[in-house]
C-alpha cells in the first residue's frame, strides 16, 4: 500500500517511520529544497512524545540536543530589578519527562530514524489529489497513491486542496507571535531573558547548537490585524508599533528586523475542524489540529497524532476509512483538551494589565522558590491544566511490525 505524506518537519517523518515499520511504502513531498536547518524555534516534548521517541530509538539524540535553558530572567516594564526564576522547577512541576529542543534538530532526529526506508521528494508540492488517489505535483510526474496525508503545518496545502480555502475553521486567540534570528551575543546561553508589560512580552534565548539567538515577541490584539501574509514590511511595521518604547534592549532586538535572515509573524490561531479526514486523505499534526503555535503543546500532539495514525492504519490492515475513524476517535480527547489548554495559555501568557504582570511574576517566583517535590505534588492534582500533556495516554499497537 502506497502512502504519500506532504511535509517533512515533525509529524511527517514520525508518521513515515511508523508506517514503514508496519510494512507500508511511503513517499514524503516537502516544499523546502532540503530538510530545514535554520533552527526554527524551541519546541517541547512531554511524556507521551518522549516515550514514542524512545520507541523510535532517537531519545538519546534528542536529549543530546536539548536547549538547556534553565533560568528565566524576568523584567517587568517600569521595574528596574529583574526576577530570577528557576525554569527547571516550573517545567518539573508540569512534566516528569520533558525536553526542550530546537524544532529543526528534532526534525532531523526523526528524519534520520526513517530516511533509509522513505522516498523523499524535496523542493516540490502537491497541486491536485483526485478522489481515486491520482496526485499531481509542481515538478514530479503524476502518480497514484492509496492514501494521502497532509503533515504540512498550520497553513496546510493538503487541507486547502481537499477541504477548500476556508475549510480549516479557525479561532483567533487574541494575540500575535513573531520570532526573528538575532546575533548570538545578544543572549546568554542557558538563560531566557523576558521583558513583560501589559499586553506585550518580548524574550530572547540561544542554545549551544545555535550560531545565533532567537528573539520572540507576543502581543495582544482584540481584533485581527490587517496585513497580507506575504507583506513582510507591513509585519515589521506592526511589530515595531507593538513594542515601541518597551525597553532599550527590546529596541535593539527589534532593530535587527532590518538585517535578520529569519523572520516569522503570525496570529495565534487555533484550528477547530470537527473532522480532519475525507475519502483517502487525512491530516496530521498542526495541519489538522493545531491548538495554537507556542501555546498548546502542539509538537507533542503532532508526534502523538502521527504515531496513532500509523498504528490505526496498520491495525485496520490498510482499510483507510476504518483507520481514519479510529484515528479521529483516539485523538479526539487529546485534541479537545489541548485546545482548551491553549485558549487558557493564550489568555494568561501575556498579562492584560500591570496587576496581571505582577501576579504572573509572583506565581513564577513562588513555584521557583518551593521545593521541587512540593510543586510537583500540587501540579499533579490538576491533569487538565499544568499536567495536561504528561497525562495523555496512548495505545500500544500490536499490528505487525515489518522486519
Ligand atoms: C514561532 C513558533 C513557536 C512555537 N513554539 C512552540 C513551543 O514552544 N512548543 C511547542 O511544542 N510547539 C511550538 N510551536 C509549534 C510547533 O512548531 C509545531 O507544533 C510543530 O512544528 C508541528 O509539526 P508539523 O510537522 O505538524 O508541522 P510544521 O512543523 O509546521 O511543518 C510543516 C512542514 O510542511 C512543509 N510544507 C508546507 N507547505 C508545504 C507544501 N505545499 N508542500 C510540501 N510541504 C509543505 C513545511 O516546509 C514544513 O516542513 C511553535 C510554532 C511557532 C511557529
Amino acid at each position: 500500500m502506497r502512502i504519500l505524506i506532504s511535509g517533512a518537519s515533525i509529524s511527517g517523518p514520525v508518521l513515515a517511520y511508523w508506517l514503514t515499520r508496519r510494512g507500508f511504502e511511503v513517499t514524503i513531498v516537502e516544499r523546502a529544497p532540503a530538510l530545514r536547518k535554520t533552527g526554527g524555534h524551541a519546541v517541547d516534548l512531554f511524556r507521551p512524545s518522549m516515550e514514542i521517541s524512545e520507541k523510535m530509538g532517537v531519545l538519546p539524540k534528542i536529549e543530546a540536543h536539548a536547549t538547556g535553558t534553565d533560568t528565566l530572567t524576568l523584567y517587568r516594564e517600569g521595574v528596574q530589578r529583574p526576577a530570577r526564576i528557576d525554569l527547571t522547577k516550573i517545567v518539573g512541576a508540569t512534566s516528569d519527562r520533558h525536553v526542550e529542543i530546537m524544532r529543526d534538530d528534532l526534525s532531523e532526529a526523526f528524519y534520520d530514524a526513517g530516511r533509509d526506508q522513505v522516498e523523499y521528494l524535496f523542493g516540490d508540492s502537491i497541486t491536485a489529489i483526485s478522489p481515486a488517489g491520482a496526485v499531481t505535483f509542481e515538478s514530479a510526474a503524476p502518480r497514484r497513491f492509496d492514501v494521502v496525508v497532509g503533515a504540512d503545518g498550520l497553513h496546510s496545502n493538503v487541507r486547502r486542496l481537499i477541504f477548500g480555502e476556508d475549510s480549516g475553521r479557525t479561532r483567533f486567540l487574541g494575540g500575535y507571535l513573531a520570532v526573528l534570528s538575532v546575533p548570538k551575543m545578544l543572549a546568554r546561553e542557558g538563560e531566557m531573558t523576558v521583558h513583560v508589560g501589559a499586553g506585550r512580552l518580548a524574550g530572547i534565548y540561544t542554545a549551544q547548537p545555535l550560531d545565533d539567538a532567537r528573539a520572540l515577541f507576543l502581543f495582544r490584539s482584540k481584533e485581527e490585524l490587517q496585513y497580507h501574509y506575504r507583506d513582510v514590511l507591513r509585519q515589521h511595521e506592526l511589530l515595531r508599533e507593538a513594542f515601541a518604547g518597551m525597553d532599550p534592549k527590546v529596541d535593539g532586538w527589534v532593530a535587527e528586523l532590518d538585517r535578520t535572515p529569519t523572520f516569522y509573524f503570525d496570529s495565534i490561531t487555533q484550528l477547530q475542524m470537527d473532522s480532519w479526514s475525507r475519502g483517502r486523505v487525512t491530516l496530521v499534526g498542526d495541519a489538522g489540529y493545531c491548538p495554537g503555535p507556542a501555546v498548546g503543546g502542539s509538537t507533542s500532539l503532532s508526534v502523538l497524532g502521527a504515531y496513532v495514525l500509523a498504528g490505526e492504519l496498520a491495525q485496520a490492515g490498510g482499510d483507510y476509512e476504518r483507520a481514519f475513524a479510529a484515528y479521529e476517535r483516539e485523538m479526539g480527547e487529546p485534541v479537545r483538551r489541548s485546545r482548551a489548554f491553549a485558549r487558557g495559555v493564550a489568555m494568561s501568557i501575556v498579562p492584560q494589565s500591570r496587576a496581571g504582570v505582577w501576579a504572573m511574576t509572583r506565581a513564577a517566583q513562588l513555584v521557583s522558590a518551593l521545593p521541587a517535590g512540593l510543586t510537583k505534588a500540587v501540579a499533579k492534582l490538576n491533569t487538565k491544566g499544568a499536567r495536561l500533556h504528561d497525562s495523555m495516554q496512548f495505545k500500544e499497537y500490536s499490528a505487525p511490525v515489518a522486519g
Side-chain angles (χ1 to χ4, degrees):
M1 187 167 191
R2 296 170 60 184
I3 300 187
L4 174 67
I5 300 170
S6 170
S9 174
I10 306 299
S11 48
V14 174
L15 176 63
Y17 171 90
W18 286 106
L19 285 174
T20 53
R21 291 269 296 160
R22 301 194 188 288
F24 296 96
E25 243 181 84
V26 179
T27 299
I28 295 192
V29 55
E30 163 60 52
R31 189 182 50 184
L35 204 66
R36 290 187 293 182
K37 288 293 284 174
T38 52
H41 39 266
V43 299
D44 305 278
L45 291 184
F46 294 96
R47 189 193 54 76
S49 49
M50 292 284 275
E51 287 174 5
I52 293 165
S53 306
E54 191 168 34
K55 284 172 183 288
M56 295 170 70
V58 295
L59 198 54
K61 195 166 183 179
I62 288 174
E63 286 176 330
H65 282 89
T67 58
T69 307
D70 55 16
T71 309
L72 172 66
T73 303
L74 192 63
Y75 290 89
R76 285 154 287 174
E77 217 172 338
V79 180
Q80 278 297 318
R81 233 176 52 157
R84 304 269 295 173
I85 315 280
D86 181 350
L87 274 181
T88 57
K89 290 237 185 94
I90 307 247
V91 171
T94 59
S95 177
D96 292 330
R97 268 193 111 177
H98 165 267
V99 75
E100 186 189 67
I101 177 171
M102 298 307 290
R103 186 205 56 209
D104 292 358
D105 288 334
L106 183 62
S107 172
E108 189 175 10
F110 290 144
Y111 167 80
D112 283 346
R115 62 191 295 181
D116 293 342
Q117 277 79 45
V118 178
E119 179 195 23
Y120 274 90
L121 305 175
F122 281 106
D124 210 346
S125 178
I126 300 172
T127 48
I129 307 166
S130 83
V135 176
T136 55
F137 299 91
E138 277 174 8
S139 307
R143 288 206 225 168
R144 186 173 293 279
F145 292 90
D146 301 296
V147 164
V148 180
V149 184
D152 41 8
L154 183 56
H155 301 286
S156 167
N157 178 45
V158 171
R159 192 179 68 232
R160 188 179 52 77
L161 289 173
I162 297 299
F163 294 89
E165 288 290 346
D166 299 323
S167 58
R169 268 208 307 129
T170 55
R171 175 166 168 176
F172 173 59
L173 298 188
Y176 282 81
L177 170 64
V179 182
L180 54 135
S181 161
V182 299
K184 189 158 181 146
M185 63 184 186
L186 295 179
R188 281 197 221 151
E189 244 172 62
E191 179 179 317
M192 170 125 188
T193 303
V194 167
H195 290 257
V196 60
R200 57 188 181 172
L201 179 154
I204 193 167
Y205 66 92
T206 186
Q208 196 263 326
L210 287 180
D211 298 329
D212 56 1
R214 294 282 182 278
L216 173 128
F217 303 85
L218 286 157
F219 63 95
R220 282 178 176 272
S221 172
K222 280 207 181 76
E223 309 293 333
E224 288 195 62
L225 301 170
Q226 294 307 311
Y227 66 93
H228 190 273
Y229 75 103
R230 286 219 176 107
D231 188 351
V232 173
L233 289 179
R234 171 79 181 129
Q235 295 164 21
H236 285 184
E237 191 181 289
L238 290 168
L239 194 63
R240 284 197 179 95
E241 276 169 19
F243 287 86
M246 185 176 207
D247 183 89
K249 281 222 177 67
V250 177
D251 292 345
W253 307 341
V254 173
E256 293 296 328
L257 277 174
D258 297 327
R259 292 178 281 272
T260 187
T262 322
F263 175 67
Y264 169 92
F265 185 95
D266 210 344
S267 60
I268 302 182
T269 294
Q270 180 166 93
L271 258 185
Q272 295 193 329
M273 297 171 83
D274 299 325
S275 164
W276 45 85
S277 313
R278 185 172 291 173
R280 60 183 72 239
V281 181
T282 193
L283 304 169
V284 67
D286 275 14
Y289 33 80
C290 179
V295 289
S298 46
T299 305
S300 247
L301 199 62
S302 299
V303 173
L304 180 65
Y307 172 81
V308 170
L309 175 56
E312 293 297 345
L313 269 165
Q315 199 144 285
D319 175 346
Y320 55 79
E321 279 180 8
R322 206 148 56 83
F324 292 171
Y327 162 54
E328 296 203 0
R329 251 193 328 271
E330 280 299 310
M331 289 304 292
E333 184 67 9
V335 167
R336 270 190 298 277
R337 290 171 70 193
S338 296
R339 282 180 189 155
F341 177 81
R343 289 194 293 270
V345 173
M347 292 301 290
S348 58
I349 194 168
V350 183
Q352 291 197 51
S353 62
R354 288 175 77 99
V357 172
W358 185 85
M360 179 177 108
T361 313
R362 282 302 297 148
Q365 281 175 317
L366 191 65
V367 176
S368 171
L370 287 173
L374 184 58
T375 50
K376 212 173 256 189
V378 172
K380 270 190 173 152
L381 298 175
N382 180 3
T383 53
K384 284 201 181 117
R387 307 284 295 189
L388 166 72
H389 297 103
D390 257 34
S391 69
M392 286 177 185
Q393 303 295 326
F394 63 88
K395 238 162 80 176
E396 292 292 338
Y397 289 95
S398 55
V401 171

